[in-house]
Amino acid sequence: MLESKVDFEYLKYLSESSDKKAILEELMTAYGKDVWNYAYSITRKWDQADDITQEVFIKVYRNLYTFRSESSVKTWSLAITRNTTLDFKRAAFYRKVTLLDFIAPSGEQKSTEQEVIDKFAVNDMWRMVLKPPVKYREVLILYAHYQLSMKEMAQILNVTEGTVKSRLFHARNKISKMKESRSLGSD
């Protein structure tokens, strides 16, 4: 879904009398899937993406009056998503859950969660995009899925445009090598 800056232009003119709940509902409808998909692409866990999405829209609601239209609402919400996801990953709860996932015996059958993920990740390309480290995965998804410019990606990731270009270059190389490996049957 491409955003027209005019669609949410009114956000910079909010006042205390504005109906924040209606605005939030509108933003959730417009960007809910984008926020969830981005959170999932970083965490690769459905339940965490759900929790993060909820937290993002709570933050959006609380900060509606601080939106300055320096970027698009989409870029703003994705930046909040990224920061919330990073905060979530730093939390002790996340470390415990991840540690338990890591320690789980490898002889067990796939979890129901993993089976569902596998079904939704039918597309080989999507599986390849989810394999590289987060810093490469993020730029691939922001560029290809959300169609953001280098400048918007740099804003969200809090890095320079040169760093974004470099990460995108390396991410594409990693995907190319995975494709090559698959075509040779050595994956």
Side-chain angles (χ1 to χ4, degrees):
M1 167 188 239
L2 294 177
E3 173 191 347
S4 164
K5 274 203 168 195
V6 179
D7 289 352
F8 294 103
E9 182 76 17
Y10 66 87
L11 288 180
K12 62 182 170 185
Y13 304 110
L14 289 180
S15 68
E16 291 296 325
S17 63
S18 299
D19 186 358
K20 284 175 64 173
K21 288 181 183 177
I23 294 166
L24 179 65
E25 196 171 304
E26 195 176 323
L27 291 171
M28 288 173 72
T29 300
Y31 301 114
K33 285 182 182 179
D34 288 337
V35 166
W36 189 91
N37 287 332
Y38 189 38
Y40 175 77
S41 73
I42 297 171
T43 64
R44 293 190 249 176
K45 295 189 180 292
W46 288 76
D47 55 338
Q48 290 176 3
D50 289 342
D51 292 344
I52 290 165
T53 300
Q54 236 178 354
E55 186 65 29
V56 165
F57 283 108
I58 289 169
K59 289 178 180 181
V60 165
Y61 181 80
R62 288 181 183 150
N63 295 300
L64 273 175
Y65 296 118
T66 65
F67 181 70
R68 297 182 306 261
S69 295
E70 291 174 2
S71 62
S72 69
V73 175
K74 182 179 188 176
T75 302
W76 182 59
S77 61
L78 291 175
I80 293 171
T81 303
R82 181 176 191 271
N83 292 334
T84 302
T85 303
L86 295 177
D87 290 346
F88 195 86
K89 288 176 79 171
R90 284 185 207 112
F93 172 78
Y94 181 84
R95 287 193 296 274
K96 286 178 191 171
V97 170
T98 304
L99 182 60
L100 289 175
D101 288 349
F102 180 75
I103 296 174
S106 59
E108 291 182 6
Q109 289 183 331
K110 283 186 176 180
S111 68
T112 305
E113 176 185 327
Q114 189 60 47
E115 287 178 24
V116 171
I117 290 170
D118 288 346
K119 285 179 185 177
F120 280 100
V122 172
N123 183 325
D124 281 342
M125 182 55 84
W126 182 244
R127 281 193 197 123
M128 281 190 265
V129 167
L130 289 176
K131 280 188 178 183
V134 172
K135 70 180 185 178
Y136 298 126
R137 205 167 51 229
E138 281 184 311
V139 293
L140 283 171
I141 291 167
L142 291 173
Y143 181 76
H145 182 72
Y146 296 109
Q147 301 174 350
L148 297 180
S149 68
M150 295 291 168
K151 182 178 180 180
E152 289 172 316
M153 289 190 289
Q155 287 175 333
I156 289 172
L157 301 173
N158 201 25
V159 296
T160 65
E161 286 183 52
T163 301
V164 170
K165 289 176 184 175
S166 173
R167 286 181 184 178
L168 193 55
F169 173 80
H170 290 294
R172 286 175 175 159
N173 279 345
K174 288 184 180 300
I175 297 296
S176 292
K177 286 178 183 173
M178 281 187 243
K179 281 181 176 176
E180 212 173 280
S181 170
R182 284 219 169 131
S183 68
L184 296 174
S186 62
D187 189 49

